[in-house]
Amino acid sequence: MELTWNLAGFLGIAWTAMFALWLLSLRLNDASIVDIWWGPGFALLALAAHAISPHPDGILTVLVCLWGLRLGVYLGWRNIGHGEDRRYAAMRRRRPDRFALWSLFAVFGLQGFLQWFVALPVLVAQGLRGPGEASSFFVLVGVVVFSVGLFFEAVGDWQLARFKADPRNEGRVMDRGLWRYTRHPNYFGDACAWWGIFLVALPNPGVIFTILSPIAMTWLLLRVSGVPMLERSLSRKPDYAAYCERTSAFLPQPPKPTAGAGSD
C-alpha cells in the first residue's frame, strides 16, 4: 500500500512539473519546451525516489540523472532560440482557438504520464529495495548496456551537430560515423540506456513486473514519436531513399553494398 501511494505521489510530481512547464509555454508561446524537459523530468523522479527510499540505490539514481541531464542540456542547446518546433506549430495551426487547453492534456499531461511509466523500474526498485538487494551480475550487465546506449546517443548527437554546422552539408544526408551503421543511433542508444537501467533495477522485488516500461520506451522510439516521425520529414531529401536502402533503421550493422553509395 505504501508503494502504491508513493507511485501515485511520483505521478503527481511529474504532472506538477509539467503543469508549471505548460504555464511557461503559454507565456513563451512555445510548447516545444516540453522536449527539453523530457530528460530532466526523469532525473527529478529518480532523485525524488532516492530521497524517500529506506535503502537508496545510488547507481540507479546516477544512471538516470546522467542520461536525463545530458539529453536536456543537448536539446536545450539545440532548440533554445530557434522558435517553436514545427510539430507543435502544426498542432497549433490545427487548433488555433483551443491549443492552449488541448496541449495541457495531450502534450504536457501525456508526456508527464509517459515519464512516470517509463521510470517505473527505478521508482519500484527504490521503493522496495532492501539492504543487500543488489546483484553484481545484473548491475554489471545493466551498466554495460546503459554505457553502450549513452555512447550511441551522445556520440551520434555530437556527430550530427557537427555535420549540420558545416554549410557544405546543407540538404545532404548524414551517413558518417555511427550514422553509417544505423539511421538512428540516438534512438537506438535511448532504448539501450533504458534497458540497461531496467537490468540494474531488476534484482529488486517486483521490478520484473515493470518490464513494460522499457518495452514502451522502445515502442515509442520505433513506432510513434521517434523513427516514423523523423523519417517522414527526412523522406523529402533526394538521397534519403538510397540511404535507407543500405542502412539499418535501428540496430547497428554494416551498411549494405549498393551501387553509388556515398556521403550525399
Side-chain angles (χ1 to χ4, degrees):
M1 181 62 72
E2 182 180 357
L3 178 64
T4 301
W5 280 107
N6 285 344
L7 292 179
F10 293 133
L11 180 57
I13 290 172
W15 274 341
T16 299
M18 283 294 181
F19 181 73
L21 199 66
W22 173 73
L23 293 176
L24 179 60
S25 79
L26 298 182
R27 183 175 181 84
L28 298 176
N29 202 36
D30 184 357
S32 56
I33 59 174
V34 72
D35 294 339
I36 300 172
W37 180 248
W38 176 248
F42 284 96
L44 174 64
L45 291 176
L47 289 170
H50 185 98
I52 68 169
S53 174
H55 304 284
D57 187 329
I59 294 178
L60 273 177
T61 305
V62 167
L63 294 184
V64 177
C65 289
L66 184 61
W67 175 84
L69 296 178
R70 186 216 71 87
L71 182 60
V73 169
Y74 169 71
L75 291 179
W77 168 79
R78 190 190 70 178
N79 296 352
I80 291 175
H82 294 280
E84 188 170 50
D85 185 278
R86 61 179 178 270
R87 295 169 297 158
Y88 301 106
M91 295 176 190
R92 189 183 296 275
R93 287 193 298 271
R94 290 195 295 268
R95 304 169 181 84
D97 299 325
R98 52 192 176 91
F99 177 77
L101 186 59
W102 180 87
S103 68
L104 172 62
F105 297 98
V107 177
F108 292 87
L110 176 60
Q111 291 209 32
F113 174 80
L114 290 174
Q115 280 179 335
W116 172 82
F117 187 81
V118 172
L120 279 176
V122 178
L123 305 180
V124 171
Q126 297 282 33
L128 295 179
R129 180 178 165 81
E133 291 287 358
S135 163
S136 57
F137 171 77
F138 282 103
V139 170
L140 177 60
V141 174
V143 168
V144 168
V145 173
F146 173 87
S147 299
V148 170
L150 190 65
F151 171 82
F152 269 82
E153 272 196 277
V155 174
D157 285 339
W158 173 72
Q159 290 175 339
L160 183 61
R162 287 191 63 193
F163 180 83
K164 288 183 172 181
D166 188 341
R168 294 172 297 179
N169 294 323
E170 181 69 29
R172 293 161 66 97
V173 173
M174 169 57 163
D175 66 350
R176 307 169 187 175
L178 296 178
W179 301 81
R180 174 177 170 81
Y181 304 100
T182 166
R183 303 200 298 270
H184 302 283
N186 46 355
Y187 295 153
F188 169 75
D190 224 351
C192 280
W194 278 96
W195 279 106
I197 290 168
F198 172 76
L199 288 172
V200 173
L202 186 56
N204 296 282
V207 171
I208 186 60
F209 299 109
T210 68
I211 194 171
L212 287 178
S213 297
I215 290 174
M217 175 65 97
T218 307
W219 179 76
L220 287 170
L221 292 168
L222 277 171
R223 302 298 181 195
V224 183
S225 61
V227 172
M229 188 176 294
L230 183 58
E231 296 216 329
R232 281 196 296 270
S233 66
L234 293 173
S235 62
R236 296 188 293 270
K237 291 189 175 184
D239 298 311
Y240 198 70
Y243 175 59
C244 292
E245 186 178 331
R246 66 180 182 265
T247 310
S248 168
F250 196 70
L251 295 175
Q253 53 187 281
K256 300 174 185 176
T258 56
S263 298
D264 51 345

